[in-house]
Amino acid sequence: SPIPFNQYQLLGHSGGIDGFVSMSAYLPEKGLAITALSNGVNYSFNDVLIAMLSAYFDMPVRLPEFATAIDTKDMDLQRFIGNYVSSQLPLEIKVFVQDKQLFAQASGQGAFPLTAVNEWEFVFEQAGIRMSFDATNEPQFSGFVLKQGGGVFQYQRKPAE
């Protein structure tokens, strides 16, 4: 399937199983074939391919900013629990606690663990997700800002039914 990169359309495919991921692409007009494999990645694999292509085309390469996790054992994770909606995206996001760990799950998708980087910000590095909760209405947050893939989306807590 076509993979866009700036003015180019590469042909390629990606896959993964049991913690292994791969991506391969070919750019016929440049005779460029590129393949990336990993058996343990904690970063958006698409961003890895973008960095590789950027380096090849002598374009600026954005280095990842890995967040430093903080311990949540003394945090009240219950205050984040809720269902959140956005007027910008059709996905409702459920935030919940399981086994003393905060998770998020968008409608129709699998749940993912959230790593705390401070008292009100959480990340899921593999998908490039950052959720910054609104700390003005503590103890219960009224919403959060979701940042992913260059997009910024405002989410509000859905009233309890």
Side-chain angles (χ1 to χ4, degrees), residues 93 96 102-106 109-114 123-124 129 131 146:
I93 297 178
F96 61 97
L102 196 65
F103 282 82
Q105 182 173 14
Q109 299 181 19
F112 52 90
L114 294 171
V123 297
F124 181 58
I129 292 173
M131 295 169 64
L146 171 71

Side-chain angles (χ1 to χ4, degrees), residues 10-11 46 78 82 117-118 133:
L10 294 91
L11 304 173
N46 185 61
Q78 301 297 319
V117 293
N118 61 44
F133 285 83

Side-chain angles (χ1 to χ4, degrees), residues 31-88:
L32 171 67
I34 187 169
T35 299
L37 307 167
S38 177
N39 68 345
V41 68
N42 193 17
Y43 185 67
S44 166
F45 206 60
N46 185 61
D47 289 349
V48 171
L49 186 60
I50 289 171
M52 293 169 69
L53 290 168
S54 295
Y56 175 82
F57 286 105
D58 200 26
M59 299 169 67
V61 175
R62 186 182 70 82
L63 296 175
E65 295 178 27
F66 294 106
T68 302
I70 64 167
D71 192 350
T72 59
K73 72 176 178 164
D74 294 327
M75 286 178 64
D76 178 12
L77 298 178
Q78 301 297 319
R79 61 192 178 145
F80 298 98
I81 292 175
N83 293 318
Y84 298 84
V85 293
S86 174
S87 61
Q88 299 168 278

